[in-house]
Amino acid sequence: MYVCGPTVYDLSHIGHARSAVAFDVIYRYLKYKGFNVIYTRNYTDIDDKIINRANKDGVSWKEIAERYVKAFDEDMDALGVVSPTYCPKATETIKEMIDVIQTLIDKGFAYELNGDVYYSIRKFKDYGKLSGKNIEELESGARVEVDERKKDPLDFALWKASKTGEPSWPSPWGEGRPGWHIECSAMSQKFLGDTIDIHGGGKDLIFPHHENEIAQSEAATGKPFVRYWLHNGFVNIEKEKMSKSLGNILTIRDSLKNYSAEAVRVFLLSSHYRSPIDYSQESLRNAEAELDRFYETMERMERDWPDVVNAEVNEEQKKLLLQSIINAMDDDFNTASAVGFVFKEVNRANRLMDSAKITGVDKEFQEVLPVIRAFFKEVGKILGVFNRMPEEYFGEKKARLVISEEEIKNLLLKRDEAKKKKDFKKADDIRNELDKKGIVLEDTSKGTIWRIKAT
């Protein structure tokens, strides 16, 4: 599996998170099903945007690239994204790119012009087969500078002759650097071979990037390039397309200032990966509220029924329950359906516990509750969420509180005293005060329990 990674010139945004999390779950699930998966995700660490950022910041292009490779890796760790098998950088694969370009020249698919090398798209008869675009209607693709010297305005750069002050590498055509599209053809060939099973990326990459990858790779090798193309949908911000021109680029780090990484991940997985998704404060609050409900249920199971949930699990029942997740994931990796089924079981667990408190423990309760608990653990391996201990989850939320635990305990003592004196107004005032600070109270037979509400 090959997935196009980031161009490392700035902090990664929520669109990068959407792609990374979607393909992370696909990677996890294929391994869960027993496949031996070799997964490559690249870094574009040389590009016009990197050079421009370096000039703006007054530092070297290499410093910019290294800074944002590190930042991207930190963001992926925060989101629980598993490291791919290989994470090559473009600058580490220059030799392989030159080899592919030379092959294309030798086969008549590319030509050199004063140190630049261009791909002649009209030589590749299947150009447009992925995007469905008609070659006669196309204009110059993204990231290709219009150059009157080109044989055709649609031809794209494979190699760019060096300019003063820019990084360059030696090649048969003189000092220069690779074009953007050739990177992925060379890297996928180096790490995965001539034909790969799955190639992924955002929908914005279908044309021209992935179309150009097909043209380069299949012309060079004479073999099919990709068996299955998977493209994730766009992320909108408050119903508007995310773009620099609108000034609504939301970085992963901005998102994690207010919400847990697990909430962001649940939000991203709650839509099918191919569908567009709308990021809003409300949608993140809803994701965090759902997570609260999940971990409150887990906490309740382990606090009130430890002997039951830790009893021997009926493996046949667990297998039947897991089949719903497998059916969803086998249907084009439908994480939205899988997440929905998890919360269906959360509701069932709470209904069983409510009933047991009223009518007592029965055989169904004793058999089903440990199965649900085991089911949650197994789903966590596939989705990369729902796999922490409740105390860890709520401990992270406590760290974001604007009120200390000591203050909460003191206010609860005052509230208990007020209730004993039947001063219910004061008790309600304390509840409201805590609510404003993000604390929700629940009065139970064992006393008052407090929890953190979704922000």
Side-chain angles (χ1 to χ4, degrees):
M1 179 165 80
Y2 186 94
V3 175
C4 291
T7 299
V8 285
Y9 70 99
D10 207 343
L11 291 173
S12 298
H13 54 65
I14 202 70
H16 295 124
R18 211 267 163 107
S19 179
V21 168
F23 290 105
D24 177 62
V25 172
I26 290 169
Y27 180 39
R28 287 170 181 263
Y29 182 64
L30 291 172
K31 290 200 295 181
Y32 179 82
K33 291 278 282 191
F35 290 98
N36 175 29
V37 188
I38 306 170
Y39 176 20
T40 300
R41 185 188 66 218
N42 73 302
Y43 300 101
T44 296
D45 63 338
I46 184 62
D47 181 85
D48 290 342
K49 291 180 179 179
I50 295 170
I51 294 168
N52 293 339
R53 180 61 185 266
N55 291 337
K56 180 184 173 185
D57 289 5
V59 297
S60 72
W61 66 271
K62 194 167 186 180
E63 184 176 332
I64 291 294
E66 288 175 352
R67 178 192 304 170
Y68 292 112
V69 164
K70 183 173 181 287
F72 179 82
D73 288 346
E74 289 169 352
D75 290 344
M76 293 303 101
D77 285 345
L79 290 170
V81 172
V82 178
S83 293
T85 318
Y86 302 110
C87 296
K89 296 174 182 174
T91 56
E92 297 170 346
T93 327
I94 299 290
K95 179 188 177 297
E96 288 78 6
M97 292 184 217
I98 289 171
D99 289 345
V100 176
I101 294 169
Q102 187 62 61
T103 299
L104 291 169
I105 292 173
D106 294 342
K107 288 189 169 187
F109 287 95
Y111 57 93
E112 185 260 344
L113 277 175
N114 300 326
D116 294 323
V117 181
Y118 293 99
Y119 186 96
S120 182
I121 70 165
R122 292 182 193 274
K123 295 285 182 71
F124 186 71
K125 62 181 178 62
D126 289 332
Y127 194 83
K129 66 180 178 179
L130 178 66
S131 61
K133 292 184 180 291
N134 186 322
I135 198 169
E136 301 301 329
E137 299 170 357
L138 293 173
E139 295 180 353
S140 292
R143 300 200 188 197
V144 178
E145 296 177 6
V146 175
D147 186 337
E148 292 179 359
R149 299 173 304 152
K150 290 193 292 183
K151 294 180 181 179
D152 189 300
L154 295 176
D155 294 349
F156 60 87
L158 297 171
W159 187 262
K160 299 179 179 182
S162 62
K163 295 177 183 177
T164 304
E166 289 189 353
S168 63
W169 289 262
S171 81
W173 322 287
E175 290 284 323
R177 59 186 172 92
W180 178 43
H181 308 298
I182 195 65
E183 294 176 17
C184 293
S185 288
M187 284 189 261
S188 63
Q189 194 177 86
K190 178 178 180 180
F191 293 99
L192 303 174
D194 294 343
T195 301
I196 59 179
D197 295 304
I198 294 172
H199 194 320
K203 278 188 178 177
D204 56 317
L205 299 179
I206 295 174
F207 184 85
H209 185 51
H210 288 163
E211 198 71 74
N212 290 350
E213 279 189 60
I214 293 171
Q216 296 163 163
S217 299
E218 296 192 357
T221 67
K223 299 174 185 176
F225 177 40
V226 174
R227 293 191 175 97
Y228 297 96
W229 285 95
L230 306 184
H231 293 99
N232 62 274
F234 296 117
V235 177
N236 298 319
I237 305 293
E238 303 286 354
K239 299 183 179 177
E240 283 192 313
K241 183 180 177 182
M242 186 170 62
S243 70
K244 292 207 167 182
S245 60
L246 292 172
N248 64 348
I249 296 292
L250 178 74
T251 68
I252 296 170
R253 294 184 181 203
D254 285 340
S255 183
L256 297 182
K257 286 177 185 175
N258 299 313
Y259 302 98
S260 71
E262 193 169 3
V264 172
R265 193 169 170 111
V266 166
F267 158 71
L268 294 171
L269 296 178
S270 294
S271 295
H272 191 278
Y273 77 93
R274 291 187 191 271
S275 304
I277 189 170
D278 187 55
Y279 183 105
S280 66
Q281 296 299 321
E282 183 182 3
S283 59
L284 263 291
R285 279 195 294 270
N286 290 341
E288 192 145 301
E290 285 187 324
L291 269 175
D292 286 354
R293 186 157 61 92
F294 174 83
Y295 283 109
E296 284 159 13
T297 303
M298 292 278 286
E299 188 175 55
R300 184 184 180 192
M301 290 166 78
E302 289 164 4
R303 180 190 66 225
D304 297 346
W305 313 100
D307 293 341
V308 175
V309 294
N310 291 309
E312 188 176 347
V313 174
N314 184 317
E315 290 297 327
E316 201 58 38
Q317 285 190 26
K318 176 184 156 187
K319 188 177 177 182
L320 283 171
L321 207 51
L322 278 168
Q323 192 59 46
S324 58
I325 300 295
I326 290 167
N327 291 343
M329 293 299 290
D330 281 352
D331 183 16
D332 195 16
F333 308 104
N334 192 341
T335 58
S337 179
V339 168
F341 198 85
V342 169
F343 285 105
K344 183 179 175 184
E345 291 306 303
V346 166
N347 291 339
R348 182 160 75 129
N350 280 302
R351 283 197 305 271
L352 286 167
M353 289 187 285
D354 289 344
S355 177
K357 286 183 80 171
I358 296 167
T359 60
V361 172
D362 59 15
K363 186 180 178 184
E364 181 193 11
F365 181 83
Q366 288 181 313
E367 281 189 357
V368 174
L369 207 63
V371 170
I372 294 175
R373 176 68 183 92
F375 164 76
F376 289 155
K377 282 185 177 180
E378 203 73 8
V379 172
K381 296 175 188 176
I382 298 170
L383 299 180
V385 287
F386 311 127
N387 54 7
R388 292 193 288 173
M389 297 302 291
E391 54 266 29
E392 182 188 353
Y393 173 79
F394 290 115
E396 182 188 281
K397 292 199 75 172
K398 286 174 185 177
R400 304 205 310 262
L401 281 174
V402 296
I403 181 173
S404 70
E405 288 190 61
E406 193 62 35
E407 289 175 286
I408 296 169
K409 288 176 184 175
N410 288 336
L411 284 169
L412 288 181
L413 287 172
K414 289 178 182 177
R415 183 170 177 269
D416 286 341
E417 288 172 11
K419 285 168 69 178
K420 285 175 186 175
K421 294 175 181 176
K422 297 193 176 180
D423 186 351
F424 298 115
K425 182 181 181 304
K426 185 175 180 181
D428 287 342
D429 287 344
I430 292 170
R431 177 190 284 274
N432 293 335
E433 181 185 346
L434 286 167
D435 184 75
K436 287 175 183 175
K437 293 181 178 179
I439 302 299
V440 177
L441 303 184
E442 181 185 350
D443 292 317
T444 72
S445 58
K446 295 181 181 179
T448 303
I449 298 171
W450 65 274
R451 60 182 173 81
I452 303 156
K453 69 178 180 180
T455 52

